[in-house]
Amino acid sequence: MLFRSPVTRRSAGQLTAATGMFFGKALIASDIPSLENYVIPGQTGILVPPGDPRALAQAINGFLKEEELVGFMGKNGQALEGEYRRLARNSLVDCLASLFRDRRLEG
């Protein structure tokens, strides 16, 4: 199973990509800067040039023929998304702890 993101704008699509990764889906996405940390070619999915329907069709057809590779990319993406979530949670906890510590020092 694959997850295709139709985003072609310069700064969009991260939530869509992260959702697909959370569910273990290999990604096909436009090659735009905002998705470079999500779609690692050959590891979590495939990037296609924005606005290139032929490249998109080729990527989809390739996925349909390579079931094992798609499964591999989906599992990799799911693991990467879990790591991103863990890092974000730890960063939030660190930020809140710092904020409360600074408040206590002020008061």
Side-chain angles (χ1 to χ4, degrees):
M1 191 56 121
L2 65 93
F3 189 83
R4 182 188 69 84
S5 176
V7 176
T8 58
R9 292 188 314 275
R10 191 165 167 75
S11 177
Q14 298 95 336
L15 182 58
T16 304
T19 300
M21 292 167 74
F22 176 82
F23 287 105
K25 306 301 180 191
L27 305 173
I28 296 175
S30 296
D31 189 2
I32 56 175
S34 63
L35 295 176
E36 64 192 10
N37 292 322
Y38 296 89
V39 184
I40 302 167
Q43 296 297 311
T44 62
I46 295 175
L47 293 169
V48 297
D52 186 342
R54 180 166 284 153
L56 177 59
Q58 287 175 338
I60 292 170
N61 285 330
F63 268 29
L64 294 174
K65 294 176 186 173
E66 299 288 338
E67 221 173 284
E68 193 172 306
L69 178 61
V70 170
F72 167 79
M73 288 191 281
K75 287 179 184 173
N76 282 347
Q78 193 170 41
L80 182 61
E81 191 278 335
E83 183 63 15
Y84 285 163
R85 228 175 333 112
R86 186 187 67 74
L87 290 171
R89 184 174 50 245
N90 290 346
S91 294
L92 177 61
V93 168
D94 290 345
C95 182
L96 289 173
S98 176
L99 178 66
F100 289 128
R101 187 175 43 251
D102 292 346
R103 289 278 187 167
R104 202 174 328 132
L105 293 174
E106 290 175 1

